[in-house]
């Protein structure tokens, strides 16, 4: 209700045509109407703002979900490639290595007068299992692609964080696997070279 309308109503109430008692009743009605209209406008504005903020939260949540799903696919693809790579027995410099999955674990050992310290190392099978298990967890990490209210926005954000964390865990397992596989190939190349040298020396003796 505009100020001009209120002034017009006030003038009408102040008119000599309206009896004093009647004026008080009309003024009370006008005040009540103004309060109701004002409350209605505030409610509409509040609901509009709330809905706009909900839409914004959903937009942010869905954007986060999209990023999480992209990270998920990249991590899963990298894991597949790693698991395929460690199945190869061909060494970079030529020759055939042992099976990586059969690579034994190594227990940590302190340095001695005749030998350096040895760091603990998981077996090839353990490293492969770690990747497969992390891969399974990530595959099961789902994120909704629709958002209509704030509860869904929260749920999507939480699910996105969980999927991203699972992807990070998988990436770490893949890195550990590939690092050890590279060391394994280096060791296997050295072993084959030593065996070849020993065989040549034996033949020449």
């Amino acid at each position: 209700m505009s100020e001009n309308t209120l002034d017009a109503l006030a003038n009408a109430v102040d008119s000599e045509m309206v009896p004093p008692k009647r004026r008080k009743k009309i003024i009370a009605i006008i005040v009540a109407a103004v309060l109701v209209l004002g409350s209605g406008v505030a409610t509409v504005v509040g609901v509009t703002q709330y809905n706009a903020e909900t839409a914004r939260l959903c937009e942010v949540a869905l954007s986060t979900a999209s990023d999480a799903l992209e990270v998920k696919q990249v991590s899963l693809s990298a894991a597949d490639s790693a698991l395929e790579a460690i199945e190869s027995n061909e060494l970079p410099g030529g020759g055939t290595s042992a099976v990586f999955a059969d690579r034994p674990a190594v227990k940590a050992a302190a340095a001695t007068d005749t030998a350096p310290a040895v760091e603990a190392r998981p077996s090839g099978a353990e490293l492969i299992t770690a990747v497969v298990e992390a891969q399974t967890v990530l595959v099961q990490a789902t994120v909704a692609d629709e958002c209509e209210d704030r509860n869904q926005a929260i749920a999507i954000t939480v699910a996105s964080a969980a999927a991203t964390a699972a992807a990070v865990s998988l990436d770490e397992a893949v890195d550990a696997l590939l690092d050890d596989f590279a060391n394994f190939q280096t060791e296997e190349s050295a072993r084959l070279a030593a065996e070849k040298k020993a065989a040549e020396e034996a033949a020449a003796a």
Side-chain angles (χ1 to χ4, degrees):
M1 187 175 292
S2 67
E3 291 183 0
N4 291 336
T5 302
L6 289 175
D7 290 340
L9 289 173
N11 291 334
V13 171
D14 289 337
S15 173
E16 295 180 358
M17 296 176 59
V18 181
K21 291 183 179 181
R22 179 68 172 170
R23 291 178 193 172
K24 292 182 180 181
K25 185 175 182 179
I26 293 175
I27 290 174
I29 293 174
I30 292 173
V31 171
V34 169
L35 291 175
V36 170
L37 288 174
S39 175
V41 171
T43 300
V44 170
V45 172
V47 170
T48 300
Q49 291 178 340
Y50 182 89
N51 290 340
E53 179 63 11
T54 298
R56 187 190 70 81
L57 292 174
C58 276
E59 182 179 357
V60 172
L62 291 175
S63 176
T64 302
S66 178
D67 292 340
L69 291 175
E70 183 177 349
V71 169
K72 174 181 177 178
Q73 293 304 318
V74 171
S75 295
L76 290 175
S77 178
D80 287 337
S81 297
L83 291 173
E84 182 179 354
I86 57 95
E87 291 181 357
S88 175
N89 293 343
E90 296 181 5
L91 294 171
T96 302
S97 71
V99 178
F100 176 75
D102 295 336
R103 178 172 168 82
V106 174
K107 292 183 178 180
T112 65
D113 294 337
T114 58
V118 177
E119 294 184 358
R121 185 195 69 212
S123 67
E126 288 173 331
L127 290 169
I128 293 171
T129 298
V131 170
V132 172
E133 290 179 347
Q135 195 174 31
T136 299
V137 171
L138 182 54
V139 167
Q140 294 175 346
T142 59
V143 183
D145 58 2
E146 293 184 359
C147 181
E148 296 180 355
D149 57 46
R150 297 192 180 192
N151 288 334
Q152 289 180 333
I154 293 173
I156 290 171
T157 302
V158 171
S160 297
T164 301
V168 170
S169 295
L170 176 57
D171 291 343
E172 292 175 348
V174 168
D175 288 343
L177 174 64
L178 293 178
D179 286 347
D180 195 62
F181 181 64
N183 292 333
F184 168 73
Q185 288 190 313
T186 299
E187 293 170 7
E188 284 293 278
S189 294
R191 178 182 65 80
L192 293 179
E195 291 177 353
K196 180 180 180 181
K197 180 179 180 180
E200 291 174 347
E201 290 177 349

